[in-house]
Amino acid sequence: MVITIDGPAGSGKSTVAQEVARRLGFAFLNTGHMYRALGLAARRREVDLNNHMELTFVARHAKVEFDWTKNPPAVILNGERVTHLLGSREVSDAASYIAVVPAIREMMVHQQRAIGTELGDVVTEGRDQGTIVFPTAQCKFYIDASPEERARRRYNQMRSRSESVEYKEVLDQILARDKRDRDRLVGPLEKPVDAIAIDSTSLAFNDVVDTIISRVEAVR
Ligand code: DC
């Protein structure tokens, strides 16, 4: 069974997807981590992030894998464990340039489908999981929250890591990221027509998880 959870940056979908997977005993696929791993590879090779040919070359020579024995699964780039490097602003930024390149998205879609087949029962999260990668998934969700609330969550998260940042700056980044995610021509962020929409702006984490689990159990 495939469960897709899509939504914008900061909607909380990663932590929700991870908890849903844990409670159901499913594997958890974080597709953002795949784009981030390629973003890291591009940064390391110091390529021009606007040059699609160079980015595609980097992506073709980067092997992104997961160690499924870890929870959450660890990300491996060309044999190196890199999960701890994927949260930085530089990598996140580079990933958003990677994500607009059609040839790279095609590779990612292909690999994500192969992973889905290999894992069987999987909760997968991203931007295009219910629309493009797993259009026939049995259960689809779209988690959203207001930009202000998503920025507040990001801001609190960054402050708790002692990063010095202004709320306004975080909000502007969220709005810019939303625009890039929604406006790209291939695999844009959009709610799958058959997905259940959950607005998490004023919902507690556990309420979001419970809503998803009860829906999944109803169709299982
Ligand atoms: O969800 P995230 O912030 O880790 O995603 C990193 C980047 O990758 C972000 O710019 C959106 C993009 N992405 C995507 O285009 N498609 C996906 N399925 C997952 C992430």
Side-chain angles (χ1 to χ4, degrees), residues 147-217:
E148 292 74 20
E149 172 63 14
R150 290 185 283 126
R152 196 185 60 75
R153 292 177 192 163
R154 270 283 148 91
Y155 173 76
N156 288 341
Q157 204 177 41
M158 292 166 98
R159 291 300 289 248
S160 71
R161 294 197 299 246
S162 306
E163 289 177 42
S164 70
V165 66
E166 295 289 330
Y167 169 78
K168 176 77 174 64
E169 196 186 328
V170 181
L171 177 61
D172 288 347
Q173 273 168 14
I174 291 261
L175 293 172
R177 179 64 49 91
D178 280 1
K179 187 164 164 38
R180 270 212 291 270
D181 275 351
R182 292 198 168 107
D183 289 355
R184 70 169 165 253
L185 295 175
V186 184
L189 168 67
E190 62 181 334
K191 178 187 159 307
V193 283
D194 49 350
I196 293 168
I198 300 175
D199 183 346
S200 75
T201 306
S202 50
L203 280 180
F205 171 76
N206 279 327
D207 293 337
V208 179
V209 173
D210 287 345
T211 304
I212 293 178
I213 300 265
S214 52
R215 179 71 200 179
V216 170
E217 274 165 0

Side-chain angles (χ1 to χ4, degrees), residues 9 13 30-33 35-36 92 95-96 99 105 112 125-129 154 177 181 184 187:
K13 65 189 183 316
N30 180 332
T31 61
H33 272 177
Y35 287 94
R36 283 171 185 259
S92 161
S96 74
R105 294 202 73 89
Q112 287 158 15
E125 68 98 329
R127 306 291 190 285
D128 58 350
Q129 299 303 289
R154 270 283 148 91
R177 179 64 49 91
D181 275 351
R184 70 169 165 253

Side-chain angles (χ1 to χ4, degrees), residues 46-168:
E46 297 179 3
V47 300
D48 173 1
L49 293 174
N50 286 303
N51 186 325
H52 286 196
M53 264 173 50
E54 283 187 29
L55 291 179
T56 306
F57 181 85
V58 169
R60 286 204 200 286
H61 292 83
K63 191 169 183 203
V64 179
E65 298 167 291
F66 287 95
D67 176 353
W68 302 106
T69 66
K70 298 284 182 290
N71 186 20
V75 186
I76 301 168
L77 171 64
N78 295 329
E80 177 192 347
R81 287 175 185 270
V82 295
T83 317
H84 61 292
L85 302 173
L86 303 183
S88 75
R89 196 177 302 180
E90 291 72 27
V91 168
S92 161
D93 238 34
S96 74
Y97 283 86
I98 289 279
V100 301
V101 184
I104 302 184
R105 294 202 73 89
E106 206 176 298
M107 288 188 259
M108 292 290 97
V109 169
H110 184 79
Q111 190 180 353
Q112 287 158 15
R113 286 188 185 142
I115 290 173
T117 304
E118 179 196 330
L119 296 174
D121 288 330
V122 60
V123 179
T124 177
E125 68 98 329
R127 306 291 190 285
D128 58 350
Q129 299 303 289
T131 48
I132 308 282
V133 184
F134 299 105
T136 60
Q138 294 89 329
C139 268
K140 300 182 185 179
F141 298 91
Y142 185 84
I143 305 186
D144 208 344
S146 70
E148 292 74 20
E149 172 63 14
R150 290 185 283 126
R152 196 185 60 75
R153 292 177 192 163
R154 270 283 148 91
Y155 173 76
N156 288 341
Q157 204 177 41
M158 292 166 98
R159 291 300 289 248
S160 71
R161 294 197 299 246
S162 306
E163 289 177 42
S164 70
V165 66
E166 295 289 330
Y167 169 78
K168 176 77 174 64

